């Protein structure tokens, strides 16, 4: 959530920054609403002051034995007026809060301008794009022929955009998950968390999924819970409404993720690219504001390390203002090479949300003067397990139909060097 003081005192600058994201701020309506707040607060203060003065006068009059009927009548009028003004102020503040919660974060100054992904900038790339001397297969054909991906069973059990992993495919997914968790906890210094896979509305409000993106969430029909769209939600909420004594805090978690994929009809309908349920290892950092820029670079490097150890070519894209997520002030996307599509595809987003989420969460630390201040929060996929599995199958496919297992992953697969039908 944006700083209310910033909205009130630098409205034009905020409007200009939001325009970079394609969001039009109704400045006139904002100022009108704020003026209503100011007027009501001034009126309330005047009424309360009059009430206090009158109360003292009534006390003096009673001690002197004078009749206070007129004063008491006025006191009753003031009490009614105060109650009415308080109700109006509560309504205006609720309207302000509801409006502000729909405003996205402001992009950092070094975020490039652009309306959509066409404005993103490649920061760096890693690895050699593989060259094959045989017809390249996509992960659907590879997985089906190896007997490790069963899309028909996924449709039978749940519907479109679900898949069943069998035998070696299930082991490969589990191996990738364990490999990522070990890397981040043992080498990168994250604390592993096993959170609930359900979240209450307050948690989703805190990280920005609600109210704006309710249509992309799976809600339980008879209970006040949602299936989590990402482990970012529970991890970032761990310290909600707390004053943190030690920074940074670094968490990682494996969870399944559940998304309706609203608005993606017709996109990536083949295979596992865009699923309603997928596994992910998520990283979250909670840091001092002065450290958040460096923390974003670090977190992105931690996610990229997974791809390097798995020998998967990738590039790092700095997202433009028009392509960033709602809560982000700056985002790097990691895109992995997919031979079957002859292009890079997103496999991770790493974002610095600055104090945007912390303000919603009231997640704070104490400064050198002991005063509570808002922390900065960051998050990133490290990585989406299903898309990593896809990239591994396609980039390491062999002419004989097998798939080479990178050395870093072999200890998690009983030392096997290849995935083939016999491994299933």
């Amino acid at each position: 959530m944006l700083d209310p003081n910033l909205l009130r005192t630098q409205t034009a600058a905020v409007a200009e920054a939001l325009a970079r994201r394609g969001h039009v701020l109704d400045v006139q309506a904002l100022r009108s609403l704020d003026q209503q707040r100011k007027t009501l607060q001034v009126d309330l203060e005047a009424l309360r002051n009059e009430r206090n003065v009158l109360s003292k006068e009534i006390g003096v009059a009673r001690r002197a034995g004078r009749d206070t009927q007129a004063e008491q009548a006025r006191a009753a009028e003031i009490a009614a007026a105060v109650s009415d003004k308080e109700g109006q102020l509560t309504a205006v503040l609720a309207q302000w809060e509801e409006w502000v919660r729909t405003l996205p974060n402001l992009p950092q100054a070094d975020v490039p301008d652009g309306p959509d992904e066409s404005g993103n900038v490649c920061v760096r790339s890693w690895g050699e794009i593989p060259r094959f001397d045989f017809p390249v297969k996509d992960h659907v054909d590879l997985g089906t022929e190896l007997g490790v991906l069963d899309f028909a069973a996924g449709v039978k059990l749940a519907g479109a955009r679900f898949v069943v992993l069998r035998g070696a495919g299930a082991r490969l997914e589990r191996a990738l998950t364990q490999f990522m968790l070990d890397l981040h906890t043992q080498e990168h210094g994250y604390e592993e968390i096993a959170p609930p896979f359900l979240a209450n509305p307050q948690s989703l409000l805190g990280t920005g999924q609600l109210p704006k993106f309710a249509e992309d969430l799976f809600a339980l029909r008879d209970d006040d819970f949602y299936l989590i769209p990402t482990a970012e939600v529970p991890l970032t909420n761990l310290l909600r409404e707390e004053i943190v004594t030690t920074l940074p805090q670094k968490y990682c978690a494996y969870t399944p993720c559940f998304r309706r994929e609203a608005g993606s009809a017709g996109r990536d309908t083949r295979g596992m690219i865009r699923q309603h349920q997928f596994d992910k290892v998520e990283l979250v950092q909670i840091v001092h504001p002065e450290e958040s820029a460096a923390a974003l670079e670090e977190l992105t490097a931690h996610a990229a390390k997974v791809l390097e150890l798995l020998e998967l070519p990738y590039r790092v894209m700095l997202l433009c203002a028009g392509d960033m997520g709602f809560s982000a002030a700056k985002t790097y996307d990691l895109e992995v090479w997919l031979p079957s599509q002859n292009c890079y595809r997103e496999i991770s987003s790493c974002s610095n949300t600055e104090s945007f989420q912390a303000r919603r969460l009231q997640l704070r630390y104490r400064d050198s003067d002991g005063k509570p201040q808002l922390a900065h929060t960051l998050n990133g996929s490290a990585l989406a397990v299903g898309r990593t599995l896809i990239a591994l199958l396609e980039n390491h496919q062999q002419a004989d139909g097998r798939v080479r297992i990178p050395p870093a992953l072999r200890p998690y697969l009983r030392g096997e060097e290849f995935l083939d039908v016999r491994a299933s």
Side-chain angles (χ1 to χ4, degrees):
M1 190 163 62
L2 297 180
D3 182 352
N5 290 328
L6 190 68
L7 274 170
R8 290 169 179 142
T9 61
Q10 301 183 42
T11 309
V14 170
E16 184 178 351
L18 290 175
R20 297 181 60 204
R21 302 193 58 144
H23 185 97
V24 178
L25 179 65
D26 190 337
V27 174
Q28 184 176 353
L30 181 76
R31 288 174 172 162
S32 174
L33 192 61
D34 195 44
Q35 185 58 51
Q36 292 179 54
R37 174 193 63 82
K38 289 178 181 178
T39 300
L40 287 166
Q41 288 176 333
V42 168
D43 291 348
L44 266 171
E45 186 177 359
L47 286 167
R48 287 165 179 162
N49 285 338
E50 184 181 355
R51 181 178 59 187
N52 292 338
V53 170
L54 192 58
S55 179
K56 292 177 182 178
E57 290 176 353
I58 291 172
V60 170
R62 283 176 174 171
R63 287 192 294 272
R66 295 199 305 271
D67 179 43
T68 60
Q69 230 177 354
E71 289 87 347
Q72 287 178 320
R74 176 56 185 158
E77 291 175 0
I78 293 173
V82 166
S83 178
D84 179 61
K85 294 289 185 183
E86 285 177 340
Q88 292 180 50
L89 181 59
T90 297
V92 167
L93 291 176
Q95 188 178 348
W96 173 278
E97 182 82 4
E98 183 179 359
W99 189 8
V100 171
R101 280 181 171 171
T102 67
L103 300 178
N105 204 353
L106 305 182
Q108 291 184 359
D110 62 342
V111 169
D113 288 327
D116 49 40
E117 63 183 16
S118 64
N120 297 343
V121 176
C122 182
V123 176
R124 62 183 179 276
S125 60
W126 182 93
E128 294 292 329
I129 292 176
R131 306 297 178 194
F132 300 95
D133 57 5
F134 56 88
V136 172
K137 298 177 181 177
D138 70 1
H139 71 280
V140 177
D141 290 338
L142 284 164
T144 301
E145 291 172 10
L146 288 168
V148 298
L149 300 180
D150 191 338
F151 293 97
V155 172
K156 178 181 180 181
L157 297 176
R161 297 190 189 273
F162 290 92
V163 65
V164 170
L165 279 72
R166 292 181 175 273
R171 289 195 297 110
L172 178 58
E173 182 179 59
R174 176 160 45 88
L176 285 167
T177 301
Q178 191 62 58
F179 163 69
M180 294 177 196
L181 289 172
D182 285 351
L183 176 67
H184 298 315
T185 57
Q186 296 173 16
E187 297 189 24
H188 296 157
Y190 291 83
E191 177 187 1
E192 183 177 354
I193 303 293
F197 300 159
L198 300 178
N200 55 34
Q202 189 177 3
S203 295
L204 290 149
L205 280 167
T207 46
Q209 279 78 17
L210 287 178
K212 191 170 180 62
F213 300 104
E215 74 282 356
D216 207 33
L217 301 171
F218 285 104
L220 273 64
R221 181 174 299 169
D222 299 321
D223 297 282
D224 204 16
F225 292 110
Y226 293 84
L227 297 175
I228 60 170
T230 166
E232 170 198 341
V233 174
L235 292 182
T236 310
N237 274 272
L238 280 174
L239 297 175
R240 184 177 71 216
E241 298 174 357
E242 294 189 22
I243 298 178
V244 185
T245 56
T246 304
L247 293 176
Q249 297 286 330
K250 298 167 66 175
Y251 303 129
C252 75
Y254 151 77
T255 67
C257 304
F258 306 91
R259 300 181 187 178
R260 288 187 179 277
E261 293 296 344
S264 66
R267 295 175 56 198
D268 297 311
T269 55
R270 178 174 168 82
M272 291 175 59
I273 291 290
R274 199 176 297 274
Q275 299 273 281
H276 288 312
Q277 175 185 324
F278 60 96
D279 288 345
K280 185 154 66 80
V281 173
E282 185 77 2
L283 304 180
V284 163
Q285 292 196 26
I286 299 163
V287 305
H288 190 283
E290 293 180 359
E291 304 297 328
S292 67
L296 178 60
E297 303 299 325
E298 177 188 68
L299 189 149
T300 305
H302 291 162
K305 188 65 175 178
V306 177
L307 294 170
E308 293 172 11
L309 290 172
L310 295 177
E311 302 173 16
L312 298 174
Y314 70 88
R315 66 182 184 182
V316 181
M317 303 295 291
L318 174 59
L319 298 197
C320 69
D323 198 36
M324 288 196 304
F326 178 77
S327 298
K330 182 176 181 177
T331 297
Y332 291 117
D333 268 9
L334 297 181
E335 297 182 345
V336 69
W337 180 257
L338 290 188
S340 68
Q341 299 186 17
N342 198 37
C343 67
Y344 290 96
R345 294 298 304 266
E346 178 201 337
I347 196 168
S348 170
S349 281
C350 301
S351 298
N352 182 359
T353 74
E354 297 185 337
S355 61
F356 187 84
Q357 290 179 331
R359 180 169 285 104
R360 290 169 172 250
L361 298 163
Q362 281 302 290
L363 196 170
R364 297 165 293 167
Y365 69 98
R366 293 193 186 277
D367 62 18
S368 57
D369 295 326
K371 184 179 178 181
Q373 303 287 353
L374 293 171
H376 280 196
T377 64
L378 304 96
N379 63 79
S381 305
L383 297 165
V385 179
R387 291 196 179 188
T388 306
L389 187 150
I390 290 170
L392 191 148
L393 290 178
E394 293 198 7
N395 282 278
H396 297 313
Q397 62 183 292
Q398 307 294 301
D400 60 6
R402 297 182 300 169
V403 174
R404 187 178 73 87
I405 304 299
L409 194 60
R410 291 173 190 171
Y412 299 89
L413 289 166
R414 302 180 297 208
E416 295 170 5
E417 296 183 19
F418 293 94
L419 182 71
D420 59 27
V421 176
R422 292 182 299 278
S424 300

